[in-house]
Amino acid sequence: MDKIGKIFWQDLTVEDAEQIRDFYSAVVGWTFEEVSLGDYDDYNMLEPEDKEVAAGICHKRGVNKNIPSQWLNYVMVENIDTSVASCLARGGKVVDGPRKTGKYIFAIIQDPAGAYLALMQEE
């Protein structure tokens, strides 16, 4: 199990993922690998030296159409339902989810100041 409270992942969801993939490849030096989603590909962005995955760049379509177009951190939580309830009780909003992706459940929240964060729970 991943450490609770740790930033687990980061990604960016945009209308034109290829353009933004190429932008960050030129600006940061990342290379990429395609991640097939059937009808289209999203991208794992790889660090230039060791080729470790640094982040994801995704298309803003289908199930991802509601995800804000900004760099989004994903933080591990113990219980997604408890965390979502706490968010709502403290004046936050749920922007997307909770929903399943792979072996995780995630929800994107917006805090009372307007900042976004994704919460992830390992199933």
Side-chain angles (χ1 to χ4, degrees):
M1 179 177 211
D2 292 295
K3 185 176 179 183
I4 302 303
K6 180 179 179 177
I7 294 176
F8 173 77
W9 179 251
Q10 51 279 330
D11 65 20
L12 176 61
T13 301
V14 293
E15 296 291 335
D16 187 348
E18 288 86 5
Q19 175 192 18
I20 300 306
R21 171 203 71 197
D22 293 345
F23 172 86
Y24 282 106
S25 291
V27 171
V28 179
W30 286 334
T31 58
F32 65 90
E33 63 184 13
E34 296 171 344
V35 178
S36 177
L37 296 175
D39 295 340
Y40 62 94
D41 293 328
D42 283 344
Y43 306 97
N44 282 338
M45 303 307 291
L46 309 176
E47 297 171 356
E49 291 183 24
D50 62 11
K51 304 300 181 201
E52 292 291 320
V53 177
I57 295 183
C58 307
H59 287 277
K60 189 178 184 101
R61 60 172 78 155
V63 296
N64 290 338
K65 70 180 182 276
N66 294 326
I67 295 178
S69 294
Q70 70 170 49
W71 281 106
L72 190 58
N73 289 315
Y74 291 71
V75 175
M76 293 302 298
V77 297
E78 187 170 345
N79 184 294
I80 195 85
D81 294 328
T82 300
S83 292
V84 164
S86 290
C87 167
L88 295 172
R90 287 164 177 76
K93 300 175 187 172
V94 176
V95 177
D96 191 9
R99 63 183 165 100
K100 187 173 166 82
T101 182
K103 65 177 186 172
Y104 301 97
I105 301 170
F106 79 98
I108 299 172
I109 63 167
Q110 185 179 31
D111 69 25
Y116 296 96
L117 184 70
L119 309 174
M120 288 196 93
Q121 173 193 329
E122 192 169 6
E123 276 194 311

